[in-house]
Amino acid sequence: GNSSSFEVSFSENEKAVLKELPNKEYLLDYRTERIVYLGLVDIMFACAYNHRTTEGENSVESAWTICKLSTTLSWMENFNNCLQDVVFCCVRRSLCYPLYRHWSLIVAVLNDIKTIFKLGKYKLLQCLL
C-alpha cells in the first residue's frame, strides 16, 4: 500500500489523553532539535521492539524492556552524531538485554520504525501514547 495516503485514526481513549496534554511549543536550535530527533528514534525502537514481542499487548515487563533498550531513557544519553550511532546502540542493547535476542527480530523492528516514521508525526504520536 501507499503509506503516504495512510491516515491515522485515534481511538476515543487516545483522544481523551491528547486533550489532557498541555499545548506547548518549544523553540529549539538545530543542534538540540537533532538530539531530540535522534533520541526519538532510540525511544521508538524500544517501543516497537516491545510492541512486536508482546504482539501489541503490554505486559508487566514492558516498562523494563523499553527503559532498558532505550539509552535515552536508561542513561539520559544524548545522541548528537548521526543516525548510524543510534541504530548501532539500539541493535547492541537489543542483542544483550531482553529475553528475545535474535538478529531477524531486530531487523523486523528496524523495519517497523522505518514504517512508523514514514507514516508521519501523527503515527509517532499514537505510538507514544
Side-chain angles (χ1 to χ4, degrees):
N2 185 357
S3 63
S4 62
S5 66
F6 179 81
E7 283 196 31
V8 175
S9 59
F10 293 100
S11 70
E12 290 304 316
N13 287 342
E14 290 169 333
K15 287 177 187 176
V17 170
L18 288 172
K19 286 178 185 175
E20 295 298 318
L21 293 174
N23 188 9
K24 294 190 179 237
E25 186 174 333
Y26 297 96
L27 299 174
L28 305 174
D29 61 30
Y30 174 77
R31 182 182 167 281
T32 305
E33 190 175 89
R34 183 170 177 81
I35 290 170
V36 168
Y37 284 135
L38 292 173
L40 181 59
V41 171
D42 176 59
I43 293 168
M44 286 307 305
F45 178 90
C47 292
Y49 175 95
N50 179 68
H51 189 271
R52 184 168 276 277
T53 57
T54 63
E55 297 179 348
E57 296 292 325
N58 287 330
S59 71
V60 295
E61 296 291 326
S62 292
W64 180 90
T65 301
I66 292 169
C67 288
K68 204 62 157 169
L69 290 183
S70 171
T71 307
T72 302
L73 297 175
S74 64
W75 287 95
M76 300 300 197
E77 176 71 34
N78 285 334
F79 294 100
N80 51 22
N81 291 331
C82 65
L83 182 60
Q84 184 177 352
D85 290 346
V86 178
V87 171
F88 178 79
C89 191
C90 290
V91 169
R92 183 181 62 217
R93 292 178 76 84
S94 62
L95 290 173
C96 293
Y97 291 113
L99 177 62
Y100 304 112
R101 300 180 295 250
H102 196 276
W103 180 252
S104 60
L105 170 62
I106 305 317
V107 171
V109 172
L110 288 171
N111 287 327
D112 291 345
I113 63 167
K114 187 166 48 169
T115 300
I116 291 167
F117 275 89
K118 281 183 180 178
L119 292 174
K121 62 184 176 184
Y122 294 117
K123 186 61 180 176
L124 282 165
L125 181 60
Q126 187 179 47
C127 291
L128 291 171
L129 286 177

